[in-house]
Amino acid sequence: MKNIVVLTGAGISAESGINTFRDSGGLWEGHDVMEVASPEGWRKNPQLVLDFYNMRRKDALKAEPNDAHKALVKLSTYFHVEIITQNVDDLHERAGSENILHLHGKLFESRSTLNPRHIYPIEGWELNLGDKCPRGSQLRPNIVWFGEAVPMMEPAAALAAKADIFIVIGTSLQVYPAASLIDYVGADTEVIVIDPNLPAVKKHPLLTLIAEKASTGALRIVDELIEKYK
Ligand code: NAD
């Protein structure tokens, strides 16, 4: 059975109504990312950061998985599929995918500001100043912010290195180290990139570029792969 690894970015959730980041001119929902998604931003104005992620949670609760998320579920009935997502939303989970590695954390989790290993679920949409872990430290979103280490990078790179087919959907490949995952795939791995605004990808012997939206592009590719290898 082919081993397929899929790297997804904000673009796969765009058709579910969740805005991407770079499409809106480098601002994320009107904010400089360093204000709302960095340790400096948190130190300067934790209320703003909490409000920002509370809004993102509200948006995510209203959104539904789209055809691209669902196409990856279909793919997993024919192949071994691992999803590496840069997204913090839970639309892959809600579509029914398994084997999902969240590189940049999860919107519906909080973590202790004293010990990053102490992680708690967030029920609903709100995390507020004064919400504390059992040991008394303020909780923050369990998100990997700009300038922070990406602890899941090592397992993600190991997955990429073992892929027979590596599919990239809806990412500008501008955020590192996530963007470097494509460098870990082997020369004999098929690489397929789906994005209406194709990102710059270095030359690869088996590269297919599909300038299409995630929904239609993913459905087509999934059907083609099933037809080709079933
Ligand atoms: P990005 O915003 O940098 O790039 C989005 C990409 O999606 C672009 O290449 C764009 O052309 C493409 N795109 C837009 N509409 C599309 C569609 N319908 N189908 C397919 N592709 C489409 O996103 P990124 O590369 O994921 O990096 C942004 C960072 O911001 C990530 O670290 C992520 O954690 C965070 N973020 C997450 C979410 C989310 O969880 N849904 C949303 C916004 C930002």
Side-chain angles (χ1 to χ4, degrees):
M1 189 188 266
K2 294 270 180 199
N3 192 18
I4 302 188
V5 177
V6 189
L7 172 65
T8 66
I12 197 168
S13 295
E15 290 164 81
S16 295
I18 299 182
N19 289 336
T20 62
F21 156 45
R22 247 152 264 273
D23 290 323
S24 30
L27 294 180
W28 192 355
E29 300 287 353
H31 293 279
D32 175 342
V33 287
M34 297 311 278
E35 276 180 13
V36 291
S38 76
E40 294 77 20
W42 173 253
R43 275 194 294 274
K44 201 169 131 201
N45 192 343
Q47 185 68 61
L48 176 72
V49 175
L50 291 171
D51 287 346
F52 174 77
Y53 283 102
N54 285 345
M55 289 306 114
R56 303 290 69 73
R57 251 174 249 116
K58 267 192 168 173
D59 290 347
L61 285 169
K62 276 187 265 163
E64 294 295 334
N66 65 50
D67 284 347
H69 300 103
K70 292 176 194 164
L72 298 183
V73 181
K74 181 174 178 187
L75 193 67
S76 66
T77 60
Y78 294 87
F79 303 98
H80 178 78
V81 174
E82 300 273 354
I83 296 174
I84 303 169
T85 187
Q86 296 167 81
N87 294 346
V88 296
D89 68 51
D90 59 352
L91 294 181
H92 285 303
E93 283 87 348
R94 285 207 269 133
S97 280
E98 291 169 358
N99 309 329
I100 306 158
L101 183 156
H102 280 267
L103 260 189
H104 294 158
K106 294 184 182 177
L107 204 44
F108 291 96
E109 284 180 355
S110 66
R111 76 177 207 223
S112 156
T113 39
L114 289 180
N115 186 337
R117 287 192 302 265
H118 293 170
I119 293 167
Y120 307 91
I122 299 176
E123 308 295 343
W125 59 275
E126 267 186 298
L127 184 66
N128 292 311
L129 280 180
D131 288 347
K132 295 186 175 166
C133 83
R135 293 177 196 195
S137 78
Q138 171 66 44
L139 291 168
R140 57 163 270 186
N142 186 27
I143 305 280
V144 177
W145 285 329
F146 288 93
E148 294 188 315
V150 183
M152 297 306 280
M153 189 58 195
E154 214 175 299
L159 289 176
K162 284 203 211 120
D164 298 312
I165 302 171
F166 189 74
I167 305 175
V168 179
I169 307 176
T171 168
S172 60
L173 294 178
Q174 297 278 313
V175 176
Y176 280 83
S180 67
L181 280 172
I182 201 161
D183 299 333
Y184 290 83
V185 305
D188 55 353
T189 300
E190 280 180 59
V191 176
I192 301 163
V193 181
I194 304 169
D195 194 304
N197 228 323
L198 285 166
V201 183
K202 75 168 189 188
K203 274 197 182 143
H204 186 280
L206 299 171
L207 177 64
T208 305
L209 297 173
I210 298 172
E212 226 176 291
K213 288 197 287 190
S215 55
T216 53
L219 275 174
R220 189 156 63 75
I221 280 301
V222 163
D223 286 341
E224 282 176 19
L225 288 172
I226 293 168
E227 189 57 35
K228 189 169 166 190
Y229 292 111
K230 74 177 175 198

